[in-house]
């Protein structure tokens, strides 16, 4: 497959790129700061780098040429959480992305989400209530943007977009790729997930299509 990866210079995005290449996919990386990519990625012949902003319709459209699916690790930067802009810039970027996907007839989107995006299948969990409540209070603008991302993706007409939102708990740097997919409060999912496991789930899902138009909470066992 030819995969367009967004958020590729962050730690989760780098996992997506590296695991995609290991599975022999061709990768288009859309980035604002290409110098942040490791040499092993930027020099790989299976990687195409397109430099641009998330607001640049023309460059995003060019990056979409020949793409089979879009994999996104976009999300508010943890270190900037309390200072995240109030105008939901990531949700607006997703709205533009989805419109470009429609114009280019690219239907598959798998996006990073968080437990702040509620789902009708979730049940009460004290641990997740505390986590989400903390984000909503101390990083409210980031919380608002993440919620708006979920609403934007879910609002797309089903005939135009086949989406999966991989909602993650607290992310770790462990190498373990085992993952459980379910919903908050189901007695299976936990509050930790390695970034490697997030990428492994996404790349399995882009082939298997088991969670189309669903937003599972994924975690380590």
């Amino acid at each position: 497959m030819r995969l367009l990866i967004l958020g590729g210079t962050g730690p989760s995005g780098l996992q997506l790129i590296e695991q995609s290449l290991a599975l022999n996919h061709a990768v288009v990386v859309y980035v604002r700061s290409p110098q942040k990519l490791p040499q092993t990625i930027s020099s790989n012949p299976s990687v195409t780098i397109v430099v641009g902003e998330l607001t640049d319709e023309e460059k995003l459209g060019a990056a979409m040429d020949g793409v089979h699916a879009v994999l996104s690790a976009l999300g508010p930067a943890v270190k900037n959480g309390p200072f995240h802009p109030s105008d939901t810039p990531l949700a607006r970027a997703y709205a533009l992305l989805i419109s470009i996907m429609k114009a280019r007839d690219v239907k598959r989107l798998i996006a990073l989400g968080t437990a702040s995006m509620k789902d009708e299948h979730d049940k009460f969990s004290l641990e997740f209530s505390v986590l989400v409540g903390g984000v909503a209070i101390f990083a409210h603008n980031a919380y608002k943007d993440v919620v708006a991302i979920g609403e934007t993706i879910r609002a797309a007409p089903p005939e135009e977009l086949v989406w999966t939102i991989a909602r993650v708990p607290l992310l770790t740097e462990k190498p373990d790729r085992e993952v459980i997919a379910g919903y908050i409060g189901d007695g299976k999912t936990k509050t930790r997930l390695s970034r490697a496991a997030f990428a492994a789930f996404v790349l399995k899902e882009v082939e298997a299509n088991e969670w189309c138009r669903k937003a599972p909470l994924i975690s380590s066992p």
Side-chain angles (χ1 to χ4, degrees), residues 32-44:
R32 181 175 56 186
S33 305
Q35 69 275 11
K36 293 182 179 180
L37 291 170
Q39 177 72 18
T40 52
I41 289 175
S42 59
S43 63
N44 192 301

Side-chain angles (χ1 to χ4, degrees), residues 12 43 65 70 94 99 107 130 146 189:
S12 297
S43 63
D65 280 347
V70 177
Y94 268 104
S99 71
K107 289 187 165 58
V130 171
V146 167
T189 55

